[in-house]
Amino acid sequence: REREILGLLSTGLGNKEIGRRLHITLQTVKNHVHRILEKLRVHRRRDAVRLAYDLGLLAEPSEPPGRNVSLTREGGSKD
């Protein structure tokens, strides 16, 4: 369940929305988040998500179709 919540944290959802989606109480979400932060030895949700990606606990999000736009021209100069 913690991995499921970690995945939802990675989408930027807050505790209330996570609780609604999983049909669990706000306090249960807070308990899970607290345990996630403790296990990963971090203090912030964003740090937990970043570390989860680095450790391979979460798959890197893929780009939505049509959003793969380069900000540099050929040769590396910016527009």
Side-chain angles (χ1 to χ4, degrees), residues 19-38:
R20 283 188 207 108
R21 289 198 183 191
L22 298 179
H23 306 287
I24 59 177
T25 67
L26 177 60
Q27 190 58 52
T28 300
V29 175
K30 288 180 179 182
N31 289 339
H32 283 303
V33 171
H34 178 75
R35 282 196 302 272
I36 290 166
L37 297 178
E38 280 187 332

Side-chain angles (χ1 to χ4, degrees), residues 49-62:
V49 170
R50 182 74 256 153
L51 183 57
Y53 284 130
D54 292 347
L55 295 173
L57 299 174
L58 293 174
E60 289 284 346
S62 59

